[in-house]
Coordinates of all heavy atoms in Angstrom, one line a residue:
M1 N -10.6 16.6 -11.7 CA -9.5 15.6 -11.8 C -10.0 14.4 -12.6 O -9.3 13.6 -13.1 CB -9.1 15.1 -10.4 CG -8.1 14.0 -10.5 SD -7.8 13.1 -8.9 CE -7.7 14.4 -7.7
G2 N -11.3 14.2 -12.8 CA -11.8 13.0 -13.5 C -12.1 11.9 -12.5 O -12.3 12.2 -11.3
S3 N -12.2 10.7 -13.0 CA -12.5 9.6 -12.1 C -11.4 9.1 -11.2 O -10.2 9.5 -11.5 CB -13.0 8.4 -13.0 OG -11.9 7.8 -13.6
I4 N -11.7 8.4 -10.2 CA -10.7 7.8 -9.3 C -9.8 6.9 -10.1 O -8.6 6.9 -9.9 CB -11.4 7.0 -8.2 CG1 -12.0 8.0 -7.2 CG2 -10.4 6.1 -7.5 CD1 -12.7 7.4 -6.0
E5 N -10.3 6.2 -11.1 CA -9.5 5.3 -11.9 C -8.5 6.1 -12.7 O -7.3 5.7 -12.9 CB -10.4 4.4 -12.9 CG -9.6 3.3 -13.6 CD -8.9 2.4 -12.7 OE1 -9.3 2.0 -11.6 OE2 -7.8 2.0 -13.1
Q6 N -8.9 7.2 -13.3 CA -8.0 8.1 -14.0 C -6.9 8.6 -13.1 O -5.7 8.7 -13.5 CB -8.7 9.3 -14.7 CG -9.6 8.9 -15.8 CD -10.5 10.1 -16.3 OE1 -11.1 10.8 -15.5 NE2 -10.6 10.2 -17.6
A7 N -7.3 9.1 -11.9 CA -6.3 9.6 -10.9 C -5.3 8.5 -10.6 O -4.1 8.7 -10.5 CB -7.0 10.1 -9.7
L8 N -5.8 7.3 -10.4 CA -4.9 6.1 -10.1 C -3.9 5.9 -11.2 O -2.7 5.8 -10.9 CB -5.7 4.9 -9.8 CG -4.9 3.6 -9.4 CD1 -4.2 3.9 -8.1 CD2 -5.8 2.4 -9.3
Q9 N -4.4 5.9 -12.4 CA -3.5 5.6 -13.6 C -2.5 6.7 -13.7 O -1.3 6.5 -14.0 CB -4.3 5.5 -14.9 CG -5.2 4.2 -14.9 CD -4.4 2.9 -14.5 OE1 -3.3 2.7 -15.0 NE2 -5.0 2.1 -13.7
Q10 N -2.9 8.0 -13.5 CA -2.0 9.1 -13.5 C -1.0 9.0 -12.4 O 0.2 9.2 -12.6 CB -2.8 10.4 -13.4 CG -1.9 11.6 -13.8 CD -2.8 12.9 -13.7 OE1 -4.0 12.9 -13.5 NE2 -2.1 14.0 -13.7
G11 N -1.4 8.6 -11.2 CA -0.5 8.4 -10.1 C 0.5 7.3 -10.3 O 1.7 7.5 -10.1
I12 N 0.1 6.2 -10.9 CA 1.0 5.1 -11.2 C 2.0 5.6 -12.2 O 3.2 5.3 -12.1 CB 0.2 3.9 -11.7 CG1 -0.6 3.3 -10.5 CG2 1.1 2.8 -12.3 CD1 -1.6 2.2 -10.9
S13 N 1.5 6.3 -13.2 CA 2.4 6.8 -14.3 C 3.5 7.7 -13.7 O 4.7 7.5 -14.0 CB 1.6 7.5 -15.4 OG 2.4 8.1 -16.3
V14 N 3.1 8.7 -13.0 CA 4.1 9.6 -12.4 C 5.0 8.9 -11.4 O 6.2 9.2 -11.3 CB 3.5 11.0 -11.9 CG1 2.9 11.8 -13.0 CG2 2.6 10.8 -10.7
H15 N 4.4 8.0 -10.6 CA 5.2 7.2 -9.6 C 6.3 6.4 -10.3 O 7.4 6.4 -9.9 CB 4.2 6.3 -8.9 CG 4.7 5.6 -7.7 ND1 4.0 4.9 -6.8 CD2 6.0 5.5 -7.2 CE1 4.7 4.4 -5.9 NE2 5.9 4.7 -6.1
S16 N 5.9 5.8 -11.5 CA 6.9 5.0 -12.2 C 8.0 5.8 -12.8 O 9.1 5.4 -13.0 CB 6.2 4.2 -13.3 OG 5.8 5.0 -14.3
K17 N 7.7 7.1 -13.0 CA 8.7 8.1 -13.5 C 9.6 8.7 -12.4 O 10.4 9.5 -12.6 CB 8.1 9.1 -14.4 CG 7.5 8.6 -15.6 CD 6.7 9.7 -16.4 CE 6.1 9.1 -17.6 NZ 4.8 9.8 -18.0
G18 N 9.2 8.4 -11.1 CA 10.0 8.9 -10.0 C 9.5 10.2 -9.4 O 10.1 10.7 -8.5
D19 N 8.3 10.7 -9.9 CA 7.7 11.9 -9.3 C 6.9 11.5 -8.1 O 5.7 11.4 -8.2 CB 6.9 12.6 -10.4 CG 6.4 14.0 -9.9 OD1 6.6 14.3 -8.7 OD2 5.9 14.8 -10.7
L20 N 7.6 11.3 -7.0 CA 6.9 10.8 -5.8 C 5.9 11.9 -5.2 O 4.9 11.5 -4.6 CB 7.9 10.4 -4.7 CG 8.8 9.2 -5.2 CD1 9.7 8.8 -4.0 CD2 8.0 8.0 -5.7
V21 N 6.3 13.1 -5.3 CA 5.5 14.2 -4.8 C 4.1 14.2 -5.5 O 3.1 14.3 -4.8 CB 6.2 15.6 -4.8 CG1 5.3 16.7 -4.4 CG2 7.4 15.5 -4.0
E22 N 4.1 14.2 -6.8 CA 2.9 14.2 -7.6 C 2.1 12.9 -7.4 O 0.9 12.9 -7.2 CB 3.1 14.5 -9.0 CG 1.9 14.5 -9.9 CD 0.9 15.6 -9.6 OE1 1.2 16.5 -8.8 OE2 -0.2 15.6 -10.2
A23 N 2.8 11.8 -7.3 CA 2.1 10.5 -7.1 C 1.4 10.5 -5.7 O 0.3 10.1 -5.6 CB 3.1 9.4 -7.2
E24 N 2.2 11.0 -4.7 CA 1.6 11.0 -3.4 C 0.4 11.9 -3.4 O -0.7 11.6 -2.8 CB 2.7 11.6 -2.4 CG 2.2 11.7 -1.0 CD 3.3 12.2 -0.1 OE1 4.1 13.0 -0.5 OE2 3.3 11.7 1.1
R25 N 0.4 13.1 -4.0 CA -0.7 14.0 -4.1 C -2.0 13.3 -4.7 O -3.1 13.4 -4.2 CB -0.4 15.2 -4.9 CG -1.5 16.3 -4.9 CD -1.2 17.4 -5.8 NE -1.3 17.1 -7.2 CZ -2.5 16.9 -7.9 NH1 -3.6 17.0 -7.2 NH2 -2.5 16.5 -9.1
L26 N -1.7 12.6 -5.8 CA -2.8 11.9 -6.5 C -3.4 10.7 -5.6 O -4.6 10.6 -5.5 CB -2.4 11.3 -7.8 CG -2.1 12.4 -8.9 CD1 -1.2 11.9 -10.0 CD2 -3.5 12.9 -9.4
Y27 N -2.5 9.9 -5.0 CA -3.0 8.8 -4.2 C -3.8 9.4 -3.0 O -4.8 8.8 -2.6 CB -1.8 8.0 -3.7 CG -1.0 7.3 -4.8 CD1 0.3 7.1 -4.7 CD2 -1.7 6.8 -5.9 CE1 1.1 6.4 -5.6 CE2 -0.9 6.2 -6.9 CZ 0.4 6.0 -6.8 OH 1.2 5.4 -7.8
K28 N -3.3 10.5 -2.4 CA -4.0 11.0 -1.2 C -5.4 11.6 -1.6 O -6.3 11.5 -0.9 CB -3.2 12.1 -0.5 CG -2.1 11.5 0.3 CD -1.3 12.6 1.0 CE -0.3 12.0 2.0 NZ 0.6 13.0 2.7
A29 N -5.4 12.2 -2.8 CA -6.7 12.7 -3.3 C -7.7 11.5 -3.5 O -8.9 11.7 -3.2 CB -6.5 13.4 -4.7
I30 N -7.2 10.4 -4.0 CA -8.1 9.2 -4.1 C -8.6 8.8 -2.7 O -9.8 8.5 -2.5 CB -7.4 8.0 -4.8 CG1 -7.1 8.4 -6.2 CG2 -8.2 6.7 -4.7 CD1 -6.1 7.5 -6.9
L31 N -7.6 8.7 -1.7 CA -8.0 8.3 -0.4 C -8.9 9.3 0.3 O -9.7 8.9 1.2 CB -6.7 8.0 0.4 CG -5.9 6.9 0.0 CD1 -4.6 6.7 0.8 CD2 -6.7 5.6 0.0
D32 N -8.9 10.5 -0.1 CA -9.9 11.5 0.5 C -11.3 11.1 0.1 O -12.2 11.3 0.9 CB -9.6 12.9 0.0 CG -8.3 13.6 0.7 OD1 -7.9 13.0 1.7 OD2 -7.8 14.6 0.2
L33 N -11.4 10.6 -1.1 CA -12.7 10.2 -1.6 C -13.1 8.8 -1.2 O -14.2 8.4 -1.0 CB -12.8 10.3 -3.2 CG -12.5 11.7 -3.7 CD1 -12.4 11.6 -5.2 CD2 -13.7 12.6 -3.3
Q34 N -12.1 7.9 -1.2 CA -12.3 6.5 -0.9 C -11.2 6.0 0.0 O -10.2 5.5 -0.4 CB -12.2 5.7 -2.2 CG -13.5 5.2 -2.7 CD -13.3 4.3 -3.9 OE1 -12.3 3.6 -4.1 NE2 -14.3 4.3 -4.8
P35 N -11.3 6.2 1.3 CA -10.2 5.9 2.3 C -9.7 4.5 2.2 O -8.6 4.2 2.6 CB -10.8 6.2 3.6 CG -11.9 7.2 3.3 CD -12.5 6.8 2.0
E36 N -10.6 3.5 1.8 CA -10.2 2.1 1.8 C -9.6 1.7 0.4 O -9.4 0.5 0.2 CB -11.4 1.2 2.1 CG -12.0 1.6 3.5 CD -11.1 1.4 4.6 OE1 -10.4 0.3 4.7 OE2 -11.0 2.3 5.5
H37 N -9.4 2.6 -0.5 CA -9.0 2.2 -1.9 C -7.7 1.4 -1.8 O -6.6 1.9 -1.3 CB -8.8 3.5 -2.7 CG -8.7 3.2 -4.2 ND1 -7.5 2.7 -4.7 CD2 -9.6 3.3 -5.2 CE1 -7.7 2.5 -6.0 NE2 -8.9 2.9 -6.3
P38 N -7.7 0.1 -2.2 CA -6.5 -0.7 -2.0 C -5.3 -0.3 -2.8 O -4.2 -0.3 -2.2 CB -7.0 -2.1 -2.5 CG -8.3 -1.9 -3.2 CD -8.8 -0.6 -2.8
E39 N -5.4 0.0 -4.1 CA -4.2 0.4 -4.8 C -3.6 1.7 -4.3 O -2.3 1.8 -4.2 CB -4.5 0.5 -6.3 CG -4.7 -0.9 -7.0 CD -6.2 -1.3 -6.9 OE1 -7.0 -0.6 -6.3 OE2 -6.5 -2.4 -7.4
A40 N -4.4 2.7 -4.0 CA -3.9 4.0 -3.5 C -3.2 3.8 -2.2 O -2.1 4.3 -2.0 CB -5.0 5.0 -3.4
N41 N -3.8 3.0 -1.3 CA -3.1 2.7 0.0 C -1.8 2.0 -0.2 O -0.8 2.4 0.4 CB -4.1 1.9 0.9 CG -4.9 2.7 1.8 OD1 -4.4 3.5 2.6 ND2 -6.2 2.6 1.6
H42 N -1.8 1.0 -1.1 CA -0.6 0.2 -1.3 C 0.5 1.1 -1.9 O 1.6 1.1 -1.4 CB -0.9 -1.0 -2.2 CG 0.3 -1.8 -2.5 ND1 1.1 -1.7 -3.7 CD2 1.0 -2.7 -1.7 CE1 2.1 -2.5 -3.6 NE2 2.1 -3.2 -2.5
N43 N 0.2 1.8 -2.9 CA 1.2 2.7 -3.6 C 1.7 3.8 -2.7 O 2.9 4.1 -2.7 CB 0.6 3.2 -4.9 CG 0.4 2.1 -5.9 OD1 0.8 0.9 -5.7 ND2 -0.3 2.4 -7.0
L44 N 0.8 4.4 -1.9 CA 1.2 5.4 -0.9 C 2.2 4.7 0.1 O 3.1 5.3 0.6 CB 0.0 6.0 -0.3 CG 0.1 7.4 0.3 CD1 0.7 8.4 -0.7 CD2 -1.2 7.9 0.7
G45 N 1.9 3.5 0.5 CA 2.7 2.7 1.4 C 4.1 2.5 0.8 O 5.1 2.6 1.5
L46 N 4.2 2.2 -0.5 CA 5.4 2.0 -1.2 C 6.3 3.3 -1.2 O 7.5 3.3 -1.0 CB 5.2 1.6 -2.6 CG 4.7 0.2 -2.9 CD1 4.4 0.0 -4.3 CD2 5.6 -0.9 -2.3
I47 N 5.6 4.5 -1.4 CA 6.3 5.8 -1.3 C 6.8 6.0 0.1 O 8.0 6.4 0.3 CB 5.4 6.9 -1.7 CG1 5.1 6.8 -3.2 CG2 6.0 8.3 -1.4 CD1 4.0 7.8 -3.7
A48 N 6.0 5.7 1.1 CA 6.5 5.8 2.5 C 7.7 4.9 2.8 O 8.7 5.4 3.4 CB 5.3 5.5 3.5
V49 N 7.7 3.7 2.3 CA 8.8 2.8 2.5 C 10.1 3.4 1.8 O 11.2 3.4 2.4 CB 8.5 1.4 1.9 CG1 9.8 0.6 1.8 CG2 7.5 0.7 2.8
S50 N 9.9 3.9 0.6 CA 11.0 4.5 -0.1 C 11.6 5.7 0.7 O 12.8 6.0 0.5 CB 10.6 4.9 -1.5 OG 9.9 6.1 -1.5
R51 N 10.8 6.3 1.5 CA 11.3 7.4 2.4 C 11.7 7.0 3.8 O 11.9 7.8 4.6 CB 10.2 8.5 2.5 CG 9.9 9.2 1.1 CD 8.8 10.2 1.3 NE 8.6 10.9 0.0 CZ 7.4 11.5 -0.3 NH1 6.4 11.4 0.5 NH2 7.4 12.1 -1.4
N52 N 11.7 5.7 3.9 CA 12.0 5.0 5.2 C 11.0 5.4 6.3 O 11.4 5.5 7.5 CB 13.5 5.4 5.6 CG 14.1 4.3 6.5 OD1 13.7 3.1 6.4 ND2 15.0 4.6 7.4
Q53 N 9.8 5.7 5.9 CA 8.7 5.9 6.9 C 7.9 4.7 7.1 O 6.7 4.6 6.7 CB 7.8 7.1 6.4 CG 8.6 8.4 6.2 CD 7.7 9.4 5.4 OE1 6.9 9.1 4.6 NE2 8.0 10.7 5.7
L54 N 8.5 3.7 7.7 CA 8.0 2.4 7.8 C 6.7 2.3 8.7 O 5.7 1.6 8.3 CB 9.0 1.4 8.3 CG 10.3 1.3 7.6 CD1 11.2 0.3 8.1 CD2 10.1 1.2 6.1
A55 N 6.7 3.1 9.7 CA 5.5 3.1 10.6 C 4.3 3.7 9.9 O 3.1 3.4 10.2 CB 5.8 3.9 11.9
V56 N 4.6 4.6 8.9 CA 3.5 5.2 8.1 C 3.0 4.2 7.1 O 1.8 4.1 6.8 CB 4.0 6.5 7.4 CG1 3.0 7.0 6.4 CG2 4.4 7.5 8.4
A57 N 3.9 3.4 6.5 CA 3.5 2.4 5.5 C 2.7 1.3 6.0 O 1.8 0.8 5.3 CB 4.8 1.9 4.8
L58 N 3.0 0.8 7.2 CA 2.4 -0.4 7.7 C 0.9 -0.4 7.7 O 0.2 -1.3 7.1 CB 2.9 -0.8 9.1 CG 2.9 -2.2 9.5 CD1 3.5 -3.2 8.5 CD2 3.5 -2.4 10.9
P59 N 0.2 0.6 8.2 CA -1.2 0.6 8.2 C -1.8 0.8 6.8 O -2.9 0.3 6.5 CB -1.6 1.8 9.1 CG -0.4 2.6 9.3 CD 0.8 1.7 9.0
M60 N -1.0 1.4 5.9 CA -1.5 1.5 4.5 C -1.5 0.1 3.8 O -2.4 -0.2 3.1 CB -0.6 2.5 3.7 CG -0.8 3.9 4.2 SD 0.4 4.9 3.4 CE -0.1 6.5 4.1
F61 N -0.4 -0.6 4.0 CA -0.4 -2.0 3.5 C -1.5 -2.9 4.1 O -2.1 -3.6 3.4 CB 1.0 -2.6 3.7 CG 2.1 -2.1 2.9 CD1 3.4 -2.2 3.3 CD2 1.9 -1.4 1.7 CE1 4.5 -1.7 2.5 CE2 2.9 -0.9 0.9 CZ 4.2 -1.1 1.3
K62 N -1.7 -2.7 5.4 CA -2.7 -3.5 6.0 C -4.1 -3.2 5.5 O -4.9 -4.1 5.2 CB -2.7 -3.2 7.6 CG -3.6 -4.1 8.3 CD -3.5 -3.9 9.8 CE -4.3 -4.9 10.6 NZ -4.1 -4.8 12.1
S63 N -4.3 -1.9 5.2 CA -5.6 -1.5 4.6 C -5.8 -2.0 3.2 O -6.9 -2.4 2.8 CB -5.7 0.1 4.6 OG -6.9 0.5 4.1
A64 N -4.7 -2.0 2.4 CA -4.8 -2.6 1.1 C -5.1 -4.0 1.1 O -6.0 -4.5 0.3 CB -3.4 -2.3 0.4
V65 N -4.5 -4.8 2.0 CA -4.7 -6.2 2.1 C -6.2 -6.5 2.5 O -6.9 -7.3 2.0 CB -3.8 -6.9 3.1 CG1 -4.3 -8.2 3.6 CG2 -2.4 -7.0 2.5
K66 N -6.6 -5.7 3.5 CA -8.0 -5.8 4.0 C -9.0 -5.5 2.9 O -10.0 -6.2 2.7 CB -8.2 -4.9 5.2 CG -9.5 -5.1 6.0 CD -9.5 -4.2 7.2 CE -10.8 -4.2 7.8 NZ -10.9 -3.2 8.8
A67 N -8.8 -4.5 2.1 CA -9.7 -4.0 1.1 C -9.8 -5.0 -0.1 O -10.8 -5.2 -0.7 CB -9.4 -2.6 0.6
N68 N -8.6 -5.6 -0.4 CA -8.5 -6.5 -1.6 C -7.5 -7.6 -1.3 O -6.4 -7.5 -1.7 CB -8.2 -5.8 -2.9 CG -8.4 -6.7 -4.1 OD1 -8.5 -7.9 -3.9 ND2 -8.3 -6.1 -5.3
P69 N -7.9 -8.7 -0.6 CA -7.0 -9.7 -0.2 C -6.6 -10.6 -1.3 O -5.8 -11.5 -1.2 CB -7.8 -10.5 0.9 CG -9.2 -10.2 0.6 CD -9.3 -8.8 0.0
N70 N -7.1 -10.4 -2.5 CA -6.8 -11.3 -3.7 C -5.5 -10.8 -4.4 O -5.1 -11.5 -5.3 CB -8.0 -11.3 -4.7 CG -9.2 -11.9 -4.0 OD1 -9.2 -12.8 -3.2 ND2 -10.3 -11.3 -4.3
I71 N -5.0 -9.7 -4.0 CA -3.8 -9.2 -4.7 C -2.5 -9.7 -4.0 O -2.3 -9.2 -2.9 CB -3.8 -7.7 -4.9 CG1 -5.1 -7.2 -5.6 CG2 -2.6 -7.2 -5.6 CD1 -5.2 -7.6 -7.0
E72 N -1.8 -10.6 -4.6 CA -0.6 -11.1 -3.9 C 0.4 -10.1 -3.5 O 1.0 -10.2 -2.5 CB 0.0 -12.1 -4.9 CG 1.1 -13.0 -4.3 CD 1.6 -14.0 -5.3 OE1 0.8 -14.7 -5.9 OE2 2.9 -14.1 -5.4
Q73 N 0.6 -9.1 -4.4 CA 1.6 -8.1 -4.1 C 1.3 -7.3 -2.8 O 2.2 -6.9 -2.1 CB 1.8 -7.1 -5.3 CG 2.9 -6.1 -5.1 CD 4.3 -6.8 -4.9 OE1 4.7 -7.6 -5.7 NE2 4.9 -6.4 -3.8
F74 N 0.0 -7.1 -2.5 CA -0.3 -6.4 -1.3 C 0.2 -7.2 -0.1 O 0.7 -6.7 0.9 CB -1.8 -6.2 -1.2 CG -2.4 -5.3 -2.2 CD1 -3.8 -5.2 -2.3 CD2 -1.6 -4.6 -3.1 CE1 -4.4 -4.3 -3.3 CE2 -2.2 -3.7 -4.1 CZ -3.6 -3.6 -4.1
W75 N 0.0 -8.5 -0.1 CA 0.4 -9.4 0.9 C 1.9 -9.4 1.1 O 2.5 -9.3 2.2 CB -0.1 -10.8 0.7 CG -1.5 -11.0 1.0 CD1 -2.5 -11.1 0.0 CD2 -2.2 -11.1 2.2 NE1 -3.8 -11.2 0.6 CE2 -3.6 -11.2 2.0 CE3 -1.7 -11.1 3.5 CZ2 -4.5 -11.4 3.0 CZ3 -2.7 -11.3 4.6 CH2 -4.0 -11.4 4.3
I76 N 2.6 -9.5 -0.1 CA 4.1 -9.5 -0.1 C 4.6 -8.2 0.6 O 5.5 -8.3 1.5 CB 4.6 -9.7 -1.5 CG1 4.3 -11.1 -2.0 CG2 6.1 -9.4 -1.5 CD1 4.5 -11.3 -3.5
S77 N 4.1 -7.1 0.2 CA 4.5 -5.8 0.8 C 4.3 -5.7 2.3 O 5.2 -5.3 3.1 CB 3.8 -4.6 0.1 OG 4.1 -4.5 -1.3
Y78 N 3.1 -6.2 2.7 CA 2.7 -6.1 4.1 C 3.6 -7.1 4.9 O 4.1 -6.7 5.9 CB 1.2 -6.5 4.2 CG 0.6 -6.5 5.6 CD1 0.9 -5.4 6.4 CD2 -0.1 -7.5 6.0 CE1 0.3 -5.4 7.7 CE2 -0.7 -7.5 7.3 CZ -0.4 -6.5 8.2 OH -1.0 -6.5 9.4
I79 N 3.7 -8.3 4.5 CA 4.5 -9.3 5.3 C 5.9 -8.9 5.3 O 6.6 -9.0 6.3 CB 4.2 -10.7 4.7 CG1 2.8 -11.1 5.0 CG2 5.2 -11.7 5.3 CD1 2.3 -12.3 4.2
D80 N 6.5 -8.5 4.2 CA 7.9 -8.0 4.1 C 8.1 -6.9 5.2 O 9.1 -7.0 5.9 CB 8.3 -7.5 2.8 CG 8.7 -8.6 1.8 OD1 8.8 -9.8 2.2 OD2 8.9 -8.3 0.6
L81 N 7.2 -6.0 5.2 CA 7.4 -4.9 6.1 C 7.3 -5.3 7.6 O 8.0 -4.9 8.5 CB 6.5 -3.7 5.8 CG 6.7 -2.4 6.6 CD1 8.2 -1.9 6.5 CD2 5.8 -1.3 6.1
L82 N 6.3 -6.2 7.8 CA 6.2 -6.8 9.2 C 7.5 -7.4 9.6 O 8.0 -7.3 10.8 CB 5.1 -7.8 9.3 CG 3.7 -7.2 9.3 CD1 2.6 -8.3 9.1 CD2 3.4 -6.4 10.6
I83 N 8.2 -8.1 8.7 CA 9.4 -8.8 9.0 C 10.5 -7.8 9.3 O 11.3 -7.9 10.3 CB 9.8 -9.8 7.9 CG1 8.8 -11.0 7.9 CG2 11.2 -10.3 8.1 CD1 8.9 -11.9 6.7
V84 N 10.6 -6.8 8.4 CA 11.6 -5.7 8.6 C 11.4 -5.0 9.9 O 12.4 -4.7 10.6 CB 11.5 -4.7 7.4 CG1 12.3 -3.4 7.8 CG2 12.0 -5.3 6.1
E85 N 10.2 -4.9 10.3 CA 9.8 -4.2 11.6 C 9.9 -5.2 12.8 O 9.6 -4.8 13.9 CB 8.4 -3.6 11.6 CG 8.3 -2.4 10.7 CD 8.9 -1.1 11.3 OE1 8.3 -0.5 12.1 OE2 10.1 -0.9 11.1
R86 N 10.4 -6.4 12.5 CA 10.6 -7.4 13.5 C 9.3 -7.8 14.2 O 9.3 -8.2 15.4 CB 11.7 -7.1 14.5 CG 13.0 -6.7 13.8 CD 14.1 -6.5 14.7 NE 14.6 -7.7 15.3 CZ 15.3 -8.6 14.8 NH1 15.7 -8.6 13.5 NH2 15.8 -9.7 15.5
Q87 N 8.1 -7.7 13.5 CA 6.8 -8.1 14.1 C 6.5 -9.5 13.6 O 5.7 -9.7 12.8 CB 5.8 -7.1 13.7 CG 6.0 -5.7 14.2 CD 4.9 -4.8 13.9 OE1 3.7 -5.2 13.6 NE2 5.2 -3.5 13.8
F88 N 7.3 -10.5 14.1 CA 7.3 -11.8 13.5 C 6.0 -12.5 13.7 O 5.5 -13.3 12.9 CB 8.5 -12.6 14.1 CG 9.8 -12.0 13.7 CD1 10.7 -11.7 14.7 CD2 10.2 -11.8 12.4 CE1 11.9 -11.1 14.4 CE2 11.4 -11.2 12.1 CZ 12.3 -10.9 13.1
E89 N 5.4 -12.4 14.9 CA 4.1 -13.0 15.2 C 3.0 -12.5 14.2 O 2.2 -13.3 13.6 CB 3.6 -12.8 16.6 CG 4.3 -13.8 17.6 CD 4.3 -15.2 17.2 OE1 3.1 -15.7 16.9 OE2 5.3 -15.9 17.1
S90 N 3.0 -11.2 14.0 CA 2.0 -10.6 13.1 C 2.3 -11.1 11.7 O 1.4 -11.3 10.9 CB 2.1 -9.1 13.1 OG 1.7 -8.6 14.4
A91 N 3.6 -11.2 11.3 CA 4.0 -11.7 10.0 C 3.5 -13.1 9.8 O 2.9 -13.5 8.7 CB 5.5 -11.6 9.8
K92 N 3.6 -14.0 10.8 CA 3.2 -15.4 10.7 C 1.7 -15.4 10.5 O 1.2 -16.2 9.7 CB 3.5 -16.1 12.0 CG 4.9 -16.8 12.0 CD 5.0 -17.7 13.1 CE 6.2 -17.5 13.9 NZ 6.4 -18.3 15.1
K93 N 0.9 -14.6 11.3 CA -0.5 -14.6 11.1 C -0.9 -14.1 9.7 O -1.8 -14.7 9.1 CB -1.1 -13.7 12.2 CG -1.1 -14.3 13.6 CD -1.7 -13.3 14.6 CE -1.5 -13.8 16.0 NZ -1.7 -12.8 17.0
A94 N -0.3 -13.1 9.3 CA -0.6 -12.5 7.9 C -0.3 -13.6 6.9 O -1.0 -13.7 5.9 CB 0.2 -11.2 7.7
L95 N 0.8 -14.3 7.0 CA 1.2 -15.3 6.1 C 0.1 -16.4 6.0 O -0.3 -16.8 4.9 CB 2.6 -15.9 6.5 CG 3.3 -16.7 5.4 CD1 3.5 -15.8 4.1 CD2 4.7 -17.1 5.9
K96 N -0.4 -16.8 7.2 CA -1.4 -17.8 7.2 C -2.7 -17.3 6.5 O -3.3 -18.0 5.7 CB -1.8 -18.2 8.6 CG -0.9 -19.2 9.2 CD -1.4 -19.6 10.6 CE -0.4 -20.6 11.3 NZ -0.7 -20.8 12.7
K97 N -3.1 -16.1 6.8 CA -4.2 -15.5 6.1 C -4.0 -15.3 4.6 O -4.9 -15.6 3.9 CB -4.5 -14.1 6.7 CG -5.3 -14.1 8.0 CD -5.7 -12.6 8.3 CE -6.3 -12.5 9.6 NZ -6.5 -11.1 10.0
G98 N -2.8 -14.9 4.3 CA -2.5 -14.7 2.9 C -2.6 -16.0 2.0 O -3.0 -16.0 0.9
K99 N -2.2 -17.1 2.7 CA -2.2 -18.4 2.0 C -3.7 -18.8 1.7 O -3.9 -19.5 0.7 CB -1.5 -19.4 2.8 CG 0.0 -19.3 2.7 CD 0.6 -20.4 3.5 CE 2.1 -20.3 3.4 NZ 2.8 -21.3 4.3
K100 N -4.6 -18.4 2.5 CA -6.0 -18.7 2.3 C -6.5 -18.0 1.1 O -7.3 -18.4 0.3 CB -6.9 -18.4 3.5 CG -6.6 -19.3 4.7 CD -7.5 -18.8 5.9 CE -7.1 -19.6 7.1 NZ -7.7 -19.1 8.3

C-alpha cells in the first residue's frame, strides 16, 4: 500500500468523491498500523456520522482531538457531535479545553 501518508491521501481523495467504502477501508488500514492516527480517526468518524452511527463516531473524534489538539476542525466535529448527542457537560468541558 505504501506509506501511511499515501494511504491517507488516497483515502481523502476517494472520500471526497463519495466512495465511502474504499475510504473507510483505507482509514481502517491506517488505524491498524497507527491506532491513534488523528486524521484517519477524524475522517472515519465523519463517515460514521454520515451513516448516522453517532456512537461509533464519538470515540473517533475524541481520539483525533487527543492525538492532535491543534486542529480546529477536530474540535468542531467532536463538540458538535457531543451537542447532537445531548452531552452538554462534556461539550462544555471540551469547549474549554479546545479554547486553550
Side-chain angles (χ1 to χ4, degrees):
M1 178 195 314
S3 74
I4 286 179
E5 189 55 38
Q6 287 171 318
L8 180 64
Q9 291 311 314
Q10 191 179 350
I12 291 169
S13 175
V14 296
H15 191 170
S16 69
K17 293 175 183 153
D19 186 351
L20 300 185
V21 172
E22 180 62 9
E24 180 178 36
R25 186 188 70 74
L26 288 160
Y27 298 145
K28 283 183 175 177
I30 293 167
L31 293 177
D32 284 345
L33 299 171
Q34 256 186 29
E36 302 299 313
H37 193 281
E39 288 87 358
N41 269 301
H42 180 259
N43 294 350
L44 206 50
L46 292 175
I47 291 173
V49 167
S50 75
R51 294 177 174 156
N52 209 28
Q53 298 170 329
L54 306 183
V56 172
L58 203 52
M60 292 173 178
F61 288 158
K62 187 174 185 176
S63 181
V65 161
K66 191 174 168 192
N68 190 347
N70 299 320
I71 305 294
E72 188 176 314
Q73 186 57 54
F74 295 172
W75 286 101
I76 293 168
S77 297
Y78 181 48
I79 293 166
D80 277 352
L81 189 53
L82 285 170
I83 292 168
V84 167
E85 289 285 274
R86 307 187 69 74
Q87 295 184 27
F88 301 123
E89 281 307 309
S90 295
K92 270 193 230 175
K93 287 178 189 168
L95 197 54
K96 276 185 187 171
K97 274 189 190 172
K99 284 182 180 177
K100 289 180 187 171

